[in-house]
């Protein structure tokens, strides 16, 4: 389906910024950050960088200068109380609770459907709750350009300028520049590509034509839903059924009946990649610092916590002794941790679980979670 030159446009005289509504999907356990991040307390509820603000609070505060209080948050039922404590200003009608995880297409698609039923001219922006970004001014400038670009009838992604040949991120291949008022750096997207091998990542970096895919999407809700309907009609129809009941007394009953039946699929496969093939995707290249805090090596890199003799220590009242050692210690116990003659270590100490690995192996922590799940040790997950 080629929907290029689509009829999605903002009414004359209305600034696209006035039609913008931010969406924060707050899902995912963050299994590579176990045992700190768990199903009951996922990573977005933690202050992982020592900034004094949790990841979800920082995300909300970063978006508010653009969207004001027009922010919709999608998270799991189990996180309602914690989210409400951290974001007390969030309106009940703008808190979307999933009864079970259904992947990003359902979460972002439901947000789009709810916003569409309220105002079909809405331009939505989806920004994950667990990313670390600075400086905020550059991020906000990029989002504003994305909003102006979306108003011309595009699904827009914000591409991050790669700082190294990462094999842990997906990439976006940039095409020709677009001449859009209010968005001088907008380009078309040729295609999205999966996480590459090291050799391919180095080629991407050298070419200068590729950006990291941070999973940020800004788009007219009508266009998002049109592509969702074309590619995943069952998912689209279920989400619309929930959305039509959202602002009525039937909200909970309809959601509880329909949500468990929805297929699981990522937004990239359901919308972004097919839309790129149809010529409906644009990108704003950005050079702000971005990290999805995917493992403990990232926490060590990003944290402003104190160092004790070359070991970064995170945790209030941490009791750590080090000698001839390097690495990171994350603790929420008062247990004494002594490191002697050990390099590049990662120690994560919680009351009921202890992780010891190295920075080089920090991406493999998910294997421990999978193994414990297979053994039936669900109480620590």
């Amino acid at each position: 389906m080629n929907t290029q030159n689509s009829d999605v446009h903002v009414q004359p005289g209305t600034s696209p910024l006035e039609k913008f509504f931010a969406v924060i999907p707050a899902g995912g356990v963050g299994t590579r950050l176990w045992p700190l991040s768990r199903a009951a307390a996922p990573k977005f509820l933690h202050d992982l960088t020592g900034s004094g603000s949790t990841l979800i609070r920082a995300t909300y505060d970063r978006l508010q200068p653009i969207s004001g209080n027009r922010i919709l948050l999608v998270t799991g039922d189990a996180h309602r109380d914690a989210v409400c404590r951290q974001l007390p200003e969030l309106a009940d009608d703008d808190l979307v609770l999933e009864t079970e995880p259904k992947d990003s297409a359902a979460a972002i698609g439901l947000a789009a459907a709810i916003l569409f039923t309220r105002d079909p001219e809405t331009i939505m922006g989806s920004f994950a709750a667990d990313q670390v970004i600075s400086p905020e001014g550059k991020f906000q400038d990029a989002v504003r350009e994305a909003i102006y670009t979306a108003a011309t009838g595009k699904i827009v992604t914000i591409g991050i300028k790669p700082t190294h040949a990462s094999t842990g991120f997906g990439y976006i291949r940039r095409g020709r520049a677009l001449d859009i008022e209010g968005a001088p750096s907008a380009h078309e997207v040729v295609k999205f590509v999966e996480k590459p091998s090291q050799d391919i990542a180095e080629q991407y970096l050298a070419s200068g034509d590729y950006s990291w895919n941070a999973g940020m999407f800004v788009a007219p809700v009508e266009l998002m839903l049109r592509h969702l309907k074309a590619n995943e009609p069952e998912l689209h129809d279920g989400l619309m059924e929930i959305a039509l009941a959202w602002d009525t007394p039937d909200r909970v009953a309809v959601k509880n009946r329909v949500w468990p039946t929805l297929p699981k699929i990522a937004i990239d496969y359901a919308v972004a990649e097919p839309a790129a093939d149809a010529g409906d995707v644009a990108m704003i290249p950005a050079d702000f610092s971005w990290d999805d805090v995917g493992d403990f090596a990232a926490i060590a890199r990003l944290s402003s916590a104190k160092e004790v003799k070359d070991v970064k220590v995170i945790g209030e009242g941490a009791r750590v002794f080090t000698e001839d050692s390097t690495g990171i210690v994350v603790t929420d116990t008062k247990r004494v941790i002594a490191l002697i003659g050990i390099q590049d270590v990662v120690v994560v100490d919680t009351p009921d679980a202890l992780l010891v690995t190295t920075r080089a192996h920090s991406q493999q922590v998910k294997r421990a979670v999978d193994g414990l799940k297979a053994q039936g040790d669900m109480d620590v997950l």
Side-chain angles (χ1 to χ4, degrees):
M1 179 186 75
N2 192 325
T3 58
Q4 202 163 14
N5 301 318
S6 63
D7 55 359
V8 179
H9 292 285
V10 173
Q11 289 283 350
T14 302
S15 166
L17 299 175
E18 295 174 30
K19 290 293 185 181
F20 180 66
F21 213 108
V23 174
I24 304 175
V29 175
T31 49
R32 291 182 181 86
L33 293 175
W34 179 87
L36 191 64
S37 179
R38 309 190 188 194
K43 65 177 179 176
F44 58 82
L45 295 174
H46 296 274
D47 174 9
L48 296 180
T49 64
S51 68
S53 184
T54 64
L55 297 182
I56 195 171
R57 179 76 250 182
T59 302
Y60 192 98
D61 292 344
R62 192 162 53 239
L63 289 166
Q64 205 166 26
I66 309 170
S67 63
N69 62 358
R70 300 187 305 275
I71 297 178
L72 196 74
L73 191 137
V74 187
T75 193
D77 266 335
H79 310 314
R80 180 192 176 114
D81 291 346
V83 166
C84 289
R85 280 195 301 273
Q86 294 194 16
L87 304 173
E89 64 269 62
L90 189 69
D92 181 64
D93 285 346
D94 294 332
L95 178 60
V96 179
L97 298 174
E98 302 174 322
T99 52
E100 59 184 279
K102 283 289 181 178
D103 217 328
S104 56
I108 296 170
L110 179 55
I114 291 169
L115 294 173
F116 178 80
T117 61
R118 293 175 179 174
D119 180 356
E121 292 185 357
T122 298
I123 295 172
M124 70 176 287
S126 174
F127 306 91
D130 56 4
Q131 300 182 348
V132 175
I133 290 170
S134 68
E136 293 188 355
K138 283 190 175 184
F139 165 79
Q140 290 156 359
D141 288 345
V143 174
R144 290 187 187 97
E145 283 202 51
I147 294 168
Y148 278 102
T149 305
T152 69
K154 294 286 188 183
I155 294 172
V156 189
T157 186
I158 296 175
I160 309 301
K161 184 178 181 179
T163 57
H164 60 281
S166 172
T167 59
F169 301 139
Y171 285 73
I172 307 162
R173 185 179 171 192
R174 183 171 65 247
R176 66 182 178 86
L178 300 172
D179 184 17
I180 295 174
E181 186 177 352
S185 61
H187 283 69
E188 69 176 7
V189 167
V190 177
K191 65 175 179 177
F192 292 90
V193 291
E194 301 290 339
K195 297 175 183 178
S197 65
Q198 187 64 43
D199 287 348
I200 298 295
E202 288 171 4
Q203 291 174 31
Y204 288 170
L205 188 66
S207 77
D209 293 334
Y210 291 81
S211 299
W212 285 336
N213 181 5
M216 303 178 191
F217 295 102
V218 179
V221 289
E222 189 278 331
L223 184 58
M224 286 283 282
L225 292 170
R226 196 191 314 169
H227 278 287
L228 187 62
K229 184 173 185 177
N231 299 300
E232 292 290 331
E234 180 188 350
L235 178 57
H236 169 273
D237 293 350
L239 295 175
M240 287 304 300
E241 186 176 356
I242 297 171
L244 288 167
W246 191 259
D247 292 320
T248 77
D250 297 327
R251 174 199 297 183
V252 174
V254 174
K255 182 188 71 171
N256 288 350
R257 174 174 56 81
V258 176
W259 188 260
T261 70
L262 299 176
K264 284 187 177 183
I265 185 171
I267 193 73
D268 303 73
Y269 304 135
V271 173
E273 292 181 8
D277 292 340
D280 273 352
V281 182
M283 70 167 288
I284 305 298
D287 64 352
F288 52 76
S289 172
W290 167 85
D291 203 294
D292 67 351
V293 202
D295 57 31
F296 286 105
I299 291 181
R301 185 172 64 250
L302 297 166
S303 177
S304 58
K306 67 177 181 177
E307 284 202 1
V308 180
K309 294 182 182 176
D310 298 324
V311 175
K312 189 157 282 190
V313 177
I314 300 172
E316 194 173 337
R319 303 166 70 193
V320 178
F321 170 84
T322 73
E323 186 174 294
D324 190 25
S325 298
T326 61
I328 178 173
V329 172
V330 183
T331 176
D332 61 0
T333 78
K334 294 295 182 284
R335 185 169 21 232
V336 173
I337 298 171
L339 303 178
I340 302 171
I342 186 166
Q343 305 304 308
D344 246 7
V345 69
V346 174
V347 177
V348 185
D349 187 30
T350 71
D352 62 351
L354 172 68
L355 169 72
V356 182
T357 184
T358 64
R359 286 198 205 189
H361 291 83
S362 57
Q363 277 276 322
Q364 297 173 26
V365 171
K366 184 178 184 294
R367 294 183 187 176
V369 175
D370 294 340
L372 290 165
K373 191 180 295 184
Q375 290 173 200
D377 293 319
M378 306 300 291
D379 59 310
V380 293
L381 303 180

